[in-house]
Structure formats: structure tokens, C-alpha cells
Amino acid sequence: MRRKLIAGNWKMYKTANEAVALAREIWAQAKEAGPVDVLLAPPFTSLHAVEDVIRGSAILLAGQNMHHEPQGAFTGEISAAMLKAAGCTHVILGHSERRQFFGETDEGVGRKAVAAHAADLTPIVCVGETLAERDGGQTEAVVERQTKAALAGLSVEQVAETVVAYEPVWAIGTGRTATAAQAQEVHAFLRKLIGKTHAGAESTVRILYGGSVKAENAAELMSCADVDGALVGGASLVADSFLKIVKGATI
Ligand code: PGA
């Protein structure tokens, strides 16, 4: 009953011209609405150009970050309304790289999630433990703290529409992916948690897995009961490998 979502996070890769070329290749194969939702998250400077390519298709567009204020003197930042005007339907919030390198906090991610919904953007809220936290048996405590803070200001209806991405930090860009069993365990935990904090939203909230998802492991991960799609970094930068992941999620 939950549609799967395969989201490509292009991070700080691709100039506008390169982004258009990649978007065209993906568009050619994924423009029609299929059983899986497909989403692209290019850098801000390529949003307009990519939107031009995918306009009228079933492909969704997301920003990779935003500021929580609607506007203001915040040099270097962009707002939810700006993303919306550029054609975005979604925004990635609280990615571990934002938390690790740019000082994003649990509370800050919560403020951004509220601002995203206020602007009619669907947040893709990222949570996930580091290797030290996993080894220390803290995985559930960490993702619980992050998820509670990210969703704290949202209503049940808003959480039902929100996307959560479980991305173990040790699996991001390392080639070391979580096993399907490890992913399922955390996803089931998160769904149960949301059932407690926002009762009723747990059956519709989509929970994506992210961290070294590639064509070879996508189908197995996507077959887990509580895995509703993938947030893909490296493998989303090449049309062929990204489209194979989309296909893998369809089976
Ligand atoms: P990766 O990145 O697929 O390159 O591990 C995933 C992400 O950071 O969203």
C-alpha cells in the first residue's frame, strides 16, 4: 500500500550542463508513472535546468537542504519557497553530511521539517548512527532521538506524508551496505516509534534505506517489509546504475 520511492542524491556533483545530461538519460527511461516513484536531488544550481528536463513527467525533484526561515539576511542560504518555485516537491533534511560537516542539530532539522511542510514541500528526514554508536549498542537510541526531534513539530497528517531515510553513517559512500536484516530491524523500530509519537501515521510514512545502495543489493533491501525505497548517492550519478535500482525496486 506504500509506493516505493527511489531518490537520487547527487550531493555536490554535476555542473548544470552535466546535470541536464544525466537528467535526460533518466527521463528517457523513467518519465512515465510506474509502480515506483523516482526523485532527483541535484545541487541548487541545477534545479531549474533539471526541472526543465523532467517537466510534465512523473519524476520528482528535491533540494538537498534549506533554511528554516521563510526569508531574511542569511547569506548563502535558500528557503523552502525558493525550492518550491524551482519546481521541487521534496527536500532532503538532516543528511549525515550536513550534521557532520555543517553543524546541523536534531532541533534544527525539526525546525526545517516544520518550515518545509508550511511551504508544501515534503521533507525527506535523514537519521542514522555512526559505526561507534552501532558498536556501542546505541543504534536504536540514536535514531529514536533524531527521529523524535525531526518530527516533533509535525501533526499526524504531516508525518504520514513525510519521508524518513534511515542512513547508517558507516554505510554512506563506503561500499559497506547494511544487510537486509539490519535495515529491516531499524526500519521496523522506526515505524513502531512513529506509531507511538504520531499514532496513525506509521502505516503510511515512507521509510527509505540509504548507504551504498547499488543495483546488486537494491532488490534484496527493497523486499524488506518496512523498506519503502532508497536514498541513493554514488550509484545515482550514472543513469544506468540508478535505473537498475529503480527496476530492482519494482520487482
Ligand atoms: P551512497 O550515499 O549511496 O553514496 O552511500 C547515500 C546518501 O548519502 O544519501
Side-chain angles (χ1 to χ4, degrees):
M1 114 182 140
R2 292 182 298 269
R3 275 174 71 79
K4 290 224 173 6
L5 169 63
I6 303 296
N9 173 13
W10 295 359
K11 306 193 179 184
M12 197 175 76
Y13 293 97
K14 309 283 178 192
T15 62
N17 285 344
E18 292 164 350
V20 164
L22 176 56
R24 279 198 182 126
E25 283 188 81
I26 294 168
W27 173 86
Q29 307 271 337
K31 57 181 177 293
E32 311 287 355
V36 174
D37 290 333
V38 175
L39 176 147
L40 306 179
F44 296 143
T45 48
S46 301
L47 284 172
H48 271 293
V50 169
E51 202 271 329
D52 250 4
V53 174
I54 63 173
R55 191 175 307 140
S57 78
I59 301 171
L60 303 164
L61 190 67
Q64 299 176 13
N65 179 36
M66 53 168 245
H67 196 277
H68 66 272
E69 290 289 345
Q71 59 182 15
F74 300 107
T75 301
E77 293 290 322
I78 65 145
S79 72
M82 293 171 191
L83 290 178
K84 188 82 190 160
C88 292
T89 50
H90 291 69
V91 58
I92 298 171
L93 297 179
H95 189 280
S96 65
E97 287 150 16
R98 300 288 324 162
R99 295 176 189 260
Q100 204 179 335
F101 305 126
F102 302 97
E104 293 220 10
T105 63
D106 292 340
E107 292 66 35
V109 175
R111 274 196 295 276
K112 291 182 181 196
V114 170
H117 274 291
D120 198 24
L121 275 182
T122 302
I124 301 173
V125 167
C126 303
V127 300
E129 82 288 0
T130 62
L131 188 57
E133 288 164 343
R134 174 161 282 262
D135 288 345
Q138 293 173 289
T139 298
E140 292 189 352
V142 169
V143 298
E144 174 167 345
R145 190 199 72 225
Q146 292 173 331
T147 306
K148 276 185 172 165
L151 306 181
L154 304 183
S155 67
V156 170
E157 293 71 27
Q158 287 172 327
V159 172
E161 282 170 20
T162 295
V163 179
V164 175
Y166 169 56
E167 299 207 304
V169 177
W170 48 271
I172 295 177
T174 58
R176 183 179 161 191
T177 188
T179 63
Q182 283 173 324
Q184 169 57 26
E185 194 181 5
V186 178
H187 282 231
F189 172 79
L190 288 172
R191 198 175 301 285
K192 208 162 140 207
L193 173 70
I194 291 167
K196 285 187 225 152
T197 60
H198 294 80
E202 72 275 15
S203 56
T204 43
V205 65
R206 289 196 278 190
I207 308 179
L208 313 185
Y209 169 78
S212 298
V213 174
K214 34 189 184 279
E216 296 75 36
N217 58 26
E220 194 190 353
L221 285 160
M222 296 309 113
S223 70
C224 297
D226 289 295
V227 176
D228 305 317
L231 183 53
V232 187
S236 74
L237 296 172
V238 176
D240 187 51
S241 59
F242 183 65
L243 290 163
K244 279 191 178 134
I245 294 168
V246 173
K247 274 213 189 81
T250 310
I251 300 160

